[in-house]
Every structure is written in structure tokens, then in C-alpha cells.
Amino acid sequence: MAQASQPGPSRPIKPAGKLPYWVEPAFTIVALGGFVIYSLWEVLFHNTGTYHNYVSPFFSPDVAGWFGFHLLTALYVVWIPFVFRFSCYYYRKEYYRAFTFHPMGCAVSEPKSHQNRPYKGEWKINNLHRYAWYLAVIVLIFLWKDVVQAFIFPNGFGVGLGSIILLINAILLTGYTFSCHAFRNLIGGRKDCFSCTAHGKKTLRYNLWHRVSEANAFHGAWAWASLFSVWIADLYIRLLIMGVIHDVRLF
Ligand code: FES
């Protein structure tokens, strides 16, 4: 006997224990919007991000210095992390929901004016993101060089609060970069069954893909943590340069 079809829910179901759907977009507007405004202030009004052995992530690598440019020096490098984050699969979901309400959330109806516009955010800039990933890895290598430099003081090895902040920042950015969906594709793509090779043994590539997949499950957390760490690292160095605070030397 045919089963009678059940009527669907007339409004979005809020899973038990979950926050209302608008909390995440509201957080994105405040956090991402605040970071963009701060970045504009930093990039447009400052031409150096170096304080002794500390270099702000906004100014590293010193591309402007290589070419002898003295104005808007951060601009020559910040476009890379900007394009990388702007084209990030996770951020795209977040800012589409937060700033365009298109789509606003799972099972949440869109404003009437958006309902006939197909959502194209997922496929339009995927290729751009893949290329941005390669450039972001190059920038990351320089940030790790800056971490080493942050532990070398005029009297030798030392640890300042700035050294710790830059170290944490590089760790979080590494987690963000290597939990990327595009990197996971790079490692695991173009093979139908890479766990089936090597006579039933798991290949190095399979194990690597497995690790990246584990990190990828937390890509959103890596994304926010690394954004805040960049913000904190730059702000700390900016306040040192302005003489508002003094570095705390721990060792
Ligand atoms: Fe977010 Fe690649 S998907 S950095």
C-alpha cells in the first residue's frame, strides 16, 4: 500500500542546541567588516610595518622594498592574502550569506528580490582560488622566516611577546592554508580510488589526503582564528611602532 506523503515544514527547523540562523551572518558582518576597515586604515595610512626584529604580516614579504617603492608599501603584498581569502570556499559562503542574504542560510527563504537570481558564487572563482593558494604558500614561507627573525634580538636568541604572537600567527595561517579545499583537491584529485593501489596498502598520498581532510573539517575555525591572529599581530606591531606600548620581553 502506498505511503501517504508527509507535509513539509512550513518554516525552517532550528536543530536543538543550535543558535538562530542570523547569528553567524551577524558575526561575519562585524568581524569581516571590522577587519576590512582596519586593513584599509593600515594599508592606506602606513608605509612601514617593521619594529626592530618584528615584521607585521601586512608588510611581509617586503615587495615594495625590493623595487624601491616608498608609498602604499603594504599594498604590494596584501592583495595576495586578500584574493586568497576573498576566493576561499568557506568565506564565500559566509560573506554571501552575511552581506547579500543570497542565500541567507540553509532552509531560510531569501528576500523576494533575490529569489529569481541563481546563486553562482560557488563556481565562478574556484580557479582564481587555486592560483591564489600557490601565491599564499609563498607568502607563508616568508612569514615563517619572520618568525625565526622574531626570536633573534641584538644580544642573541630571545623571546618577546611579539615573537610568540608572530609564531602563533604563522601556525594558524599554516593550518588555514593547508586545510584549504583546493589543496585537498590537489592532493586527492584526478584518481578514482587511490586507496586501492600499492597492493592494498594505503599510499603516502592517501594518508596525506586523509590528514588534509581531517584538517579541512575545521577549515572555518582555521579561517577565523588566522584572521584574528593576523589582526592581533599587526595591531601589536603597529602599537609598538607608535610608541603606545612596549614589547614584553619574556626571555
Ligand atoms: Fe578556504 Fe581554500 S577553501 S582557503
Side-chain angles (χ1 to χ4, degrees):
M1 197 169 76
Q3 302 248 327
S5 63
Q6 299 292 317
S10 57
R11 62 172 61 180
I13 299 167
K14 185 162 85 69
K18 289 257 179 171
L19 293 170
Y21 75 88
W22 53 265
V23 171
E24 200 175 322
F27 170 78
T28 302
I29 288 173
V30 173
L32 205 55
F35 182 74
V36 168
I37 291 168
Y38 175 85
S39 303
L40 286 172
W41 172 74
E42 184 64 337
V43 170
L44 297 178
F45 296 102
H46 302 103
N47 287 319
T48 178
T50 302
Y51 179 82
H52 300 299
N53 54 336
Y54 297 157
V55 182
S56 154
F58 275 68
F59 292 82
S60 184
D62 183 17
V63 178
W66 297 344
F67 295 99
F69 300 133
H70 301 291
L71 285 176
L72 299 176
T73 52
L75 204 56
Y76 297 93
V77 66
V78 288
W79 65 270
I80 295 174
F82 173 79
V83 171
F84 186 49
R85 283 192 192 254
F86 170 78
S87 59
C88 165
Y89 294 30
Y90 171 76
Y91 276 116
R92 268 185 277 163
K93 180 192 83 173
E94 292 300 304
Y95 67 70
Y96 263 98
R97 286 183 178 181
F99 292 100
T100 70
F101 311 129
H102 184 46
M104 206 169 195
C106 291
V108 179
S109 28
E110 300 189 58
K112 273 209 170 65
S113 56
H114 288 169
Q115 281 176 3
N116 293 326
R117 278 168 43 198
Y119 173 63
K120 297 175 183 165
E122 289 303 321
W123 59 268
K124 254 187 176 173
I125 41 184
N126 284 354
N127 274 340
L128 174 68
H129 188 63
R130 287 187 196 116
Y131 293 121
W133 184 85
Y134 291 112
L135 293 174
V137 170
I138 294 171
V139 171
L140 190 59
I141 292 168
F142 281 93
L143 294 185
W144 275 106
K145 177 199 81 76
D146 295 339
V147 170
V148 173
Q149 185 182 306
F151 284 89
I152 302 171
F153 290 81
N155 54 348
F157 176 80
V159 181
L161 183 55
S163 326
I164 304 286
I165 290 174
L166 288 176
L167 173 64
I168 293 172
N169 181 48
I171 291 171
L172 293 174
L173 281 172
T174 303
Y176 174 57
T177 307
F178 288 96
S179 64
C180 169
H181 293 65
F183 178 61
R184 184 168 173 264
N185 248 6
L186 193 73
I187 296 292
R190 302 186 309 280
K191 230 171 177 352
D192 290 337
C193 179
F194 55 104
S195 64
C196 308
T197 55
H199 311 292
K201 279 191 183 167
K202 302 274 191 275
T203 59
L204 177 67
R205 190 175 171 192
Y206 175 82
N207 286 328
L208 193 54
W209 173 81
H210 199 67
R211 292 264 176 268
V212 174
S213 298
E214 282 174 351
N216 179 260
F218 299 97
H219 189 60
W222 287 114
W224 285 117
S226 61
L227 182 126
F228 286 121
S229 74
V230 168
W231 197 343
I232 291 168
D234 181 80
L235 182 62
Y236 184 75
I237 294 170
R238 177 60 50 214
L239 293 176
L240 288 174
I241 294 171
M242 293 165 78
V244 176
I245 57 171
H246 297 287
D247 188 33
V248 180
R249 187 75 182 265
L250 305 171
F251 176 74

